[in-house]
Amino acid sequence: MHRFYVDGCSESDKQIKITGEDVNHILNVLRLGVNDEITVSDGSSRDFQCRITQCNTDGEPFILANIIDIFDNNSELSADIYLFQGVPKGDKMELIIQKCVELGVHSIVPVMMERTIVKLDDKKKEKKIARYNAISEAAAKQSRRGIIPKVMPYMSMNEAISFAESQMDYILFPYEFAEGMDGSRAIIDQLVKEVFDEKNIKKDNSSDDINKSIAVFIGPEGGFADSEAKQLEDIGAKTMSLGHRILRTETAGMTVMSILSFMLDR
């Protein structure tokens, strides 16, 4: 069933109003109309099964859809994963965003690191962030996500480290000079155990179910500078290996997301 996102949906509502670009997509691309069913998500993991009752194309176009059923979306992982991606060359960032959204990432932070080759002024950064968020939304719809993962504004490495240190529960640091896959497996196993142990405790105590947050730092082409690696180690980041092969920057983040997605799916 086709999926759309509308902020502010409530269980007390009887119908949902859809406006903006989605109206054109529903009517002219998907060729849907009155009595067709769609899924509307409120962006916080609740899905509303709806039936279209009115299509208005005069003035500001809108669509009204009656709510048939409400249910929890089960596509989100048991922890919120933030990908701190060293900005790569060309259009690699678009591929990273698309695939990591499909794999369950919660947010993506483009990071200007010491070995980042790309140079962008503020105007270009704003345009790229807008495009990146559009790509994220399209990927979220395709993969039936309960949320639209946000691509956050560009950060410097110092800003990213400060943000991760203050906001994240775990920080993972895949590094080409890390030794031993056994150590990497132990890090992932312990992280997963702690995530699910805490969720079970919260469930037993009937308290709010707030996910643990995991930061994953990926270097750009050329990898991390020695000073950046030391900064991450100094804030307690867990250094881990992804194997004996050197992965491209666009592959490394997807690899970590694949591992965590498999281990943290409900």
Side-chain angles (χ1 to χ4, degrees):
M1 191 178 297
H2 299 290
R3 170 178 295 273
F4 303 92
Y5 294 88
V6 176
D7 291 334
C9 298
S10 170
E11 294 181 7
S12 62
D13 293 337
K14 293 183 178 180
Q15 63 180 198
I16 292 174
K17 183 177 182 179
I18 300 172
T19 59
E21 296 179 0
D22 283 339
V23 175
N24 177 67
H25 188 69
I26 290 170
L27 299 180
N28 300 319
V29 178
L30 299 176
R31 301 290 184 179
L32 300 178
V34 173
N35 291 326
D36 286 321
E37 292 187 10
I38 57 175
T39 298
V40 176
S41 174
D42 65 356
S44 61
S45 296
R46 275 188 313 180
D47 285 349
F48 297 75
Q49 185 180 348
C50 301
R51 181 177 290 113
I52 296 174
T53 57
Q54 183 179 344
C55 303
N56 184 74
T57 56
D58 296 330
E60 183 178 348
F62 66 86
I63 288 172
L64 292 180
N66 284 354
I67 297 173
I68 302 171
D69 198 6
I70 303 171
F71 48 92
D72 291 332
N73 181 291
N74 63 357
S75 65
E76 298 308 310
L77 300 179
S78 296
D80 295 337
I81 304 171
Y82 290 71
L83 177 66
F84 291 79
Q85 173 67 52
V87 177
K89 296 184 294 184
D91 58 1
K92 293 177 184 177
M93 194 70 180
E94 297 184 5
L95 176 66
I96 292 167
I97 292 166
Q98 182 188 67
K99 298 309 175 188
C100 287
V101 168
E102 291 177 26
L103 288 165
V105 77
H106 184 273
S107 294
I108 297 173
V109 184
V111 185
M112 305 298 286
M113 298 184 183
E114 186 173 322
R115 293 177 180 170
T116 296
I117 297 170
V118 179
K119 306 298 180 186
L120 299 169
D121 59 30
D122 290 342
K123 189 174 182 180
K124 287 183 178 179
K125 285 180 180 178
E126 288 179 7
K127 288 184 177 180
K128 283 189 174 290
I129 292 299
R131 173 163 174 75
Y132 291 160
N133 277 293
I135 291 169
S136 177
E137 180 174 351
K141 288 179 179 178
Q142 183 274 323
S143 55
R144 299 183 179 179
R145 293 289 302 273
I147 66 167
I148 302 174
K150 183 180 179 181
V151 182
M152 298 175 67
Y154 285 80
M155 293 186 186
S156 67
M157 187 59 170
N158 286 338
E159 289 171 334
I161 287 174
S162 176
F163 178 75
E165 185 179 19
S166 62
Q167 301 295 323
M168 302 289 109
D169 296 304
Y170 307 97
I171 303 174
L172 300 181
F173 171 32
Y175 192 37
E176 60 187 292
F177 297 116
E179 295 183 4
M181 289 300 291
D182 287 343
S184 298
R185 292 188 186 95
I187 289 169
I188 296 296
D189 287 345
Q190 181 62 32
L191 183 155
V192 171
K193 181 179 184 300
E194 290 180 12
V195 166
F196 282 111
D197 281 352
E198 174 132 345
K199 291 187 83 66
N200 288 333
I201 291 170
K202 287 180 176 179
K203 184 176 180 181
D204 292 340
N205 293 338
S206 300
S207 58
D208 292 337
D209 188 17
I210 300 174
N211 284 348
K212 287 285 191 179
S213 54
I214 303 170
V216 178
F217 276 81
I218 302 293
E221 296 92 348
F224 293 98
D226 291 343
S227 59
E228 292 171 333
K230 186 176 185 307
Q231 280 181 288
L232 286 167
E233 290 170 350
D234 286 346
I235 64 170
K238 301 293 185 182
T239 305
M240 56 183 290
S241 172
L242 297 180
H244 296 291
R245 296 155 301 283
I246 301 299
L247 304 180
R248 293 177 182 270
T249 184
E250 65 268 32
T251 309
M254 292 185 224
T255 299
V256 179
M257 280 304 310
S258 296
I259 295 167
L260 293 175
S261 177
F262 182 82
M263 297 297 289
L264 292 171
D265 214 340
R266 299 178 188 181

